Amino acid sequence: MWIETWAAGGYADCVVRSGARLGVLVLDTSFERVPGDIGSPETFRRAEWAGSAEKGGRAPVLFRTVPGATVARVIGRQDGGLVDLFAAHAAALAAEGATAITTSCGFMARHQTELAARIPVPFASSALCLLGALQERYGVVGVITADSTRLTAEHFTACGAVPPDVGSPHAGPPRGGPAGSVVAGMQGKPAFRAAILDQTAPLDPERIRAEVLEVGAELIRAHPEVRALLLECTNLPPYAPALAEASGLPVFDALTLCHALMSHSASLEGANIDVE
């Protein structure tokens, strides 16, 4: 099963399959999508994605904005109507030729099980789908999320991961074993909040980069047992290399998930990514 191979260190050797086409369901937002953001076409024009392009130049990634899927709704209300909305647009992506589908917001993890059952191609809602494998490999994983006050145990369990004791800015590892996760949120950082959560100011990559490094450092100081970092928020991968260098820890994110989906013939069973 590919998730076990990946968790054992096989990810570095993964090659995007020729002809693979990833579908990305993009939230209805107004902020700038910089290279490295899952919603930016520039992200997928880099060399590591080139192997998936077919003859004739067919793009390896299809984007589809989901009208009405706002930040306030997906991160805030998290209502059940999102399942029907995303399932309909996922079906359209599959009809256009997507061979696997993901989303531009990790908070859709809450609906992983329901959506996976309704989408006709492999589906992974969130980087949190990788967390179970990371917990097995590293033990305690630090999760950096857009808003730690909105991330619940349900988001973790729907993806087959051990949830933390949520409800505090830094949540400690669960009782009963060394594997687990601790959570830190970006909601208190002004540049990130204004650009991404509130969408009231232009996105400032340099300021957000500094804020991501601050949150990472704060998390590691509070929890030195952390052995790897996972970025739940799909807007944070542009800052992953800087975070890895500053922390000295491996950093995984939504692009890790995208590469894994496009590198394997995957199927999803329930909340878990799996391959026969």
Side-chain angles (χ1 to χ4, degrees), residues 3-4 24 41 43 110 117 132 134 156 211 218 220 233 266 270 275:
I3 194 66
E4 294 175 352
V24 181
T43 299
R110 181 174 183 174
L134 291 175
F156 291 81
E211 291 176 346
E218 291 164 3
I220 293 166
C233 179
V275 167

Side-chain angles (χ1 to χ4, degrees), residues 25 64-67 83-96 101:
L25 294 165
R64 188 177 181 89
T65 298
V66 182
V83 174
D84 288 340
L85 186 62
F86 274 73
H89 286 277
L93 278 177
E96 292 173 23
I101 294 174

Side-chain angles (χ1 to χ4, degrees), residues 23-25 66 82-95 98-103 108 111-126 261 266-270:
V24 181
L25 294 165
V66 182
L82 288 167
V83 174
D84 288 340
L85 186 62
F86 274 73
H89 286 277
L93 278 177
T99 58
I101 294 174
T102 188
T103 83
M108 287 302 296
H111 309 291
Q112 170 66 33
T113 305
E114 292 174 277
L115 282 169
R118 293 178 58 176
I119 292 173
V121 298
F123 172 75
S125 57
S126 170
L261 279 170
S267 65
L268 296 175
E269 297 179 1

